Amino acid sequence: MASSVDPVEAQALLQKHLLIVQEDPSTLLDSRLFDSVGPLLSRRSRAENAALVQKTLRTLPDLQQDPAPLIRLLLQLIASWSFSDIITLEPSPNLEQGLGLDAIPYNGLALWIIHRAAETSVDAAHIAGSSVITYQLVRLWLFTTDMGVAEQAGTVIMDLLRIDKEPSDVVVHGVGDDLTTVGGRGQGLVWRRIFGDKDVYGLLYEACDLGNDQGYPSLGRKQKTIAQARLMDFAIKLGALDWGYLIRSHISEVESSHGLESGEGLLDFVACRMCASDDILIQVNLIDFFADLINKVPPSSKQEDHSVALEYMKEKNLHDSTVKAWMSPDDSKHDPVSITFIYGPSAHYISTFVSKYPQAFLSNPQNVLDTLRRLCATLDSVSSSEWSLGQFSRHDLNVLMALPRIALLPQSSLGIGIRSSPLMRIPCRATSSEGLKCLAQIFRGPKHELGNEKRSELDGQDVLAEAAAARAAFIVYLRYNKDLFKHLIGHAETVALPEKALAALNLIACIADAEWATLPSTEGGHDPGRTPKTLSALPTEDSLRSILPASPEVPERLGDQGIHALVQSPARETLFPYLVRPPQRFNNLMGGRGDPENAAY
């Protein structure tokens, strides 16, 4: 219809239909008409569509059916309008009513309109000027049972805060005050409304405090835990935007009524007071929250190696208690049932910590040793058959992959020979695809980790140190596993186990692509066998060689490129014949010649 009807006629058809609906609100909306002429009318100017938009707005409140088709049409008509254009209509959209908890069909439209205000700080200030709209917006975000509406409302709130953020050079405001980021030049009215209005600010606590029955509507425990998860997500984003607002007190009357002490703020409520200790699922969410907090809140712009989030975690003893679930799962203080659920999240937190802040991890040698001993113990408990079948904890391998490579070099405090590092516990013969992926991650070096900002503290010297440690880790592993490439080729040729075969090929490719660095060749290198305290605590070439077993099959010298390892013994004797021989086929496993699986692997 859109191609055969001009805009004037399309508007006339719509106005006629809307007039019929206004006279009898039970009249079914003509969805086909809306879908056909909507795109055509959306290309017209605001002035040309103003009358039609006004008529649509007058029709919506009296509808006695699902308003979705009419809302879709309205959104098409005002798609290019600014917030000021929409709010100055007569009649203007009733945002307060649209944000009501019982107005689910209209929530999306109201949120879309308010989101338009996040385009300029002036429009954001208009929203902040209404305590009712702000209160309704926050209440809808926390209380609604519709997940899509909650996500949309949370996005709207954060975008309003971002565009209305004030410039600040006060250190306590902390992270996110870089004026080159989005926002940073607003008036701060949205911030003052949310954190300075007693009703709005109090809503953040009332909706999530399990010991508080105030608020409307009254929320059950299930809905409050959902609100808690939403507040956790909000706290992480707020901390990345302005750490100071998250940690400091705003309205002491509200905070004290929910168990906080003088000077404590929203983060203290979320991290220390809000969650029930007997709710396993919310405890899992809380540990994930801690991991995201130290990962997503960036270091201070004044001190690149300083993490305000990590400092907070340690100050509140949250860091140690979170780590303990993985370090000491057999502790009698842990509930046997709950530890099975929080073991993985605890390992994820440790992985995030050691990969994001390796220098902070290495600065405490005792913690480094405890972590390595825990890894050695868990990997020692895995039998050869369990490795082959993949019946082991992947969480432990994730921690191992996240460790600074310098910590994986032999240490006498762990044992002698293959007992001197958890890296030696990963087999290359009876192994799994996860084990091979772990080796690939360690041997490939740090260059592939810089693009995703995995390790924010690494400067140029630390990158070289990690590259040298990757090369040293490969040398050490190869000395104790001189048949490494023989086993890798065997896995690659086992086409019946494609996942393991691909992992083996990936490990070979990662070694070939690795860009390493050589160890120091002068005196004064780190004493091999001792726990390193910094990323640069590298042994010399000679000192590392002195603690490794002699092996004629393994070269004494290895270049700083991974490809060098593939053109020397013991790799070339097995790798080159594999590369030049005919491709492996499925002939002997499947239906034979002509079978769909009879293709080059």
Side-chain angles (χ1 to χ4, degrees):
M1 177 182 289
S3 60
S4 60
V5 179
D6 63 79
V8 177
E9 185 178 352
Q11 180 172 344
L13 289 172
L14 276 178
Q15 288 180 329
K16 180 179 179 180
H17 178 65
L18 292 177
L19 182 61
I20 295 174
V21 174
Q22 281 182 323
E23 294 175 351
D24 182 7
S26 62
T27 302
L28 290 177
L29 295 172
D30 191 345
S31 301
R32 294 182 62 185
L33 174 63
F34 295 162
D35 293 340
S36 59
V37 303
L40 179 65
L41 295 177
S42 66
R43 294 193 290 267
R44 302 200 309 173
S45 67
R46 173 178 175 270
E48 291 174 313
N49 281 338
L52 188 55
V53 170
Q54 290 173 321
K55 183 177 287 292
T56 304
L57 289 172
R58 292 190 183 97
T59 305
L60 277 173
D62 300 323
L63 279 181
Q64 298 177 6
Q65 56 187 297
D66 182 9
L70 192 56
I71 290 176
R72 285 199 304 270
L73 172 66
L74 180 60
L75 290 176
Q76 286 181 312
L77 296 178
I78 62 175
S80 60
W81 292 22
S82 68
F83 177 78
S84 299
D85 293 337
I86 300 171
I87 211 67
T88 54
L89 286 171
E90 190 60 41
S92 61
N94 190 333
L95 297 180
E96 297 176 17
Q97 185 177 355
L99 293 172
L101 293 172
D102 55 351
I104 295 179
Y106 300 93
N107 291 160
L109 175 61
L111 291 172
W112 187 92
I113 294 174
I114 295 175
H115 202 188
R116 281 297 201 212
E119 295 180 351
T120 67
S121 59
V122 174
D123 290 340
H126 181 96
I127 296 297
S130 172
S131 61
V132 177
I133 290 179
T134 309
Y135 179 88
Q136 293 279 78
L137 174 61
V138 174
R139 188 180 71 158
L140 177 64
W141 163 56
L142 290 172
F143 288 10
T144 183
T145 56
D146 188 301
M147 297 297 109
V149 169
E151 184 177 356
Q152 186 180 3
T155 300
V156 170
I157 293 172
M158 282 310 306
D159 286 347
L160 286 171
L161 289 171
R162 188 172 290 108
I163 196 65
D164 194 46
K165 187 177 185 301
E166 288 182 290
S168 173
D169 35 3
V170 180
V171 175
V172 73
H173 284 187
V175 189
D177 290 331
D178 185 355
L179 298 185
T180 62
T181 59
V182 177
R185 300 191 181 277
Q187 305 174 63
L189 298 180
V190 176
W191 294 78
R192 295 187 184 92
R193 174 63 67 187
I194 293 179
F195 296 97
D197 187 306
K198 181 179 177 181
D199 293 331
V200 178
Y201 186 60
L203 198 57
L204 299 176
Y205 294 83
E206 292 172 5
C208 302
D209 191 344
L210 295 175
N212 188 294
D213 295 329
Q214 298 178 6
Y216 176 82
S218 179
L219 297 180
R221 184 183 179 97
K222 176 182 177 181
Q223 188 59 31
K224 283 200 172 187
T225 56
I226 294 175
Q228 288 176 353
R230 293 170 184 170
L231 187 60
M232 288 180 191
D233 182 64
F234 172 77
I236 293 169
K237 295 175 181 177
L238 179 65
L241 194 59
D242 194 311
W243 180 255
Y245 259 89
L246 180 61
I247 63 172
R248 69 171 180 253
S249 170
H250 295 281
I251 304 178
S252 58
E253 180 184 350
V254 171
E255 293 150 357
S256 62
S257 66
H258 293 277
L260 296 183
E261 299 178 358
S262 176
E264 292 186 329
L266 185 61
L267 181 57
D268 296 291
F269 173 71
V270 174
C272 306
R273 309 283 184 183
M274 179 179 74
C275 299
S277 59
D278 60 344
D279 189 327
I280 296 177
L281 294 181
I282 200 64
Q283 287 298 314
V284 169
N285 286 341
L286 184 61
I287 295 176
D288 288 338
F289 164 74
F290 292 154
D292 287 339
L293 191 68
I294 64 174
N295 183 43
K296 296 183 179 180
V297 175
S300 169
S301 58
K302 300 183 183 300
Q303 293 178 303
E304 290 297 332
D305 61 344
H306 175 71
S307 168
V308 289
L310 182 59
E311 181 180 294
Y312 173 86
M313 291 287 295
K314 291 183 175 181
E315 179 185 339
K316 298 294 181 178
N317 200 35
L318 297 171
H319 176 79
D320 290 340
S321 61
T322 303
V323 167
K324 190 176 181 181
W326 179 81
M327 294 288 291
S328 307
D330 298 327
D331 193 315
S332 58
K333 296 180 180 179
H334 294 308
D335 177 66
V337 176
S338 62
I339 195 65
T340 60
F341 289 92
I342 66 176
Y343 183 86
S346 177
H348 171 64
Y349 172 84
I350 296 174
S351 301
T352 303
F353 162 58
V354 299
S355 63
K356 189 77 174 178
Y357 301 104
Q359 292 283 21
F361 170 70
L362 292 173
S363 64
N364 191 326
Q366 186 57 51
N367 285 345
V368 175
L369 279 177
D370 291 342
T371 302
L372 296 176
R373 287 183 179 128
R374 172 62 189 163
L375 282 171
C376 291
T378 56
L379 296 177
D380 280 341
S381 65
V382 183
S383 65
S384 297
S385 60
E386 289 173 331
W387 271 112
S388 298
L389 297 174
Q391 297 175 347
F392 56 87
S393 173
R394 274 74 170 173
H395 306 300
D396 301 321
L397 285 185
N398 290 336
V399 174
L400 180 61
M401 285 190 290
L403 290 177
R405 293 170 179 84
I406 185 68
L408 299 177
L409 299 184
Q411 299 187 32
S412 57
S413 55
L414 298 178
I416 302 174
I418 63 172
R419 317 295 299 174
S420 61
S421 170
L423 179 62
M424 302 303 125
R425 268 74 170 184
I426 302 179
C428 58
R429 182 180 180 184
T431 188
S432 66
S433 59
E434 289 83 2
L436 296 176
K437 291 175 184 176
C438 180
L439 293 175
Q441 174 70 19
I442 294 169
F443 295 155
R444 74 193 307 178
K447 77 166 186 175
H448 298 279
E449 298 168 5
L450 301 181
N452 58 14
E453 299 179 353
K454 181 181 177 184
R455 297 186 171 165
S456 61
E457 284 192 1
L458 295 186
D459 57 22
Q461 291 300 318
D462 290 337
V463 170
L464 288 176
E466 274 283 84
R471 173 180 171 274
F474 173 77
I475 293 174
V476 171
Y477 191 87
L478 191 60
R479 281 296 181 94
Y480 289 102
N481 297 272
K482 59 180 180 296
D483 292 330
L484 168 65
F485 289 98
K486 177 182 177 181
H487 297 317
L488 290 180
I489 299 304
H491 296 318
E493 290 185 321
T494 308
V495 294
L497 299 174
E499 187 175 356
K500 186 186 294 187
L502 291 173
L505 292 173
N506 176 64
L507 174 52
I508 296 173
C510 287
I511 295 173
D513 192 39
E515 293 185 5
W516 294 326
T518 56
L519 294 171
S521 57
T522 59
E523 295 294 332
H526 180 73
D527 183 13
R530 295 182 58 187
T531 303
K533 295 182 179 180
T534 64
L535 287 173
S536 58
L538 293 166
T540 64
E541 293 280 353
D542 293 337
S543 62
L544 177 66
R545 208 161 35 243
S546 66
I547 64 172
L548 297 178
S551 178
E553 298 89 348
V554 179
E556 287 289 324
R557 301 289 178 180
L558 184 63
D560 58 1
Q561 298 292 323
I563 193 65
H564 296 162
L566 301 185
V567 298
Q568 299 181 45
S569 296
R572 65 185 178 191
E573 286 80 3
T574 53
L575 181 60
F576 286 2
Y578 169 76
L579 294 175
V580 299
R581 76 171 62 121
Q584 185 77 4
R585 297 178 181 274
F586 281 88
N587 297 37
N588 298 328
L589 299 176
M590 298 296 182
R593 190 179 300 278
D595 186 273
E597 297 291 348
N598 179 24
Y601 176 68

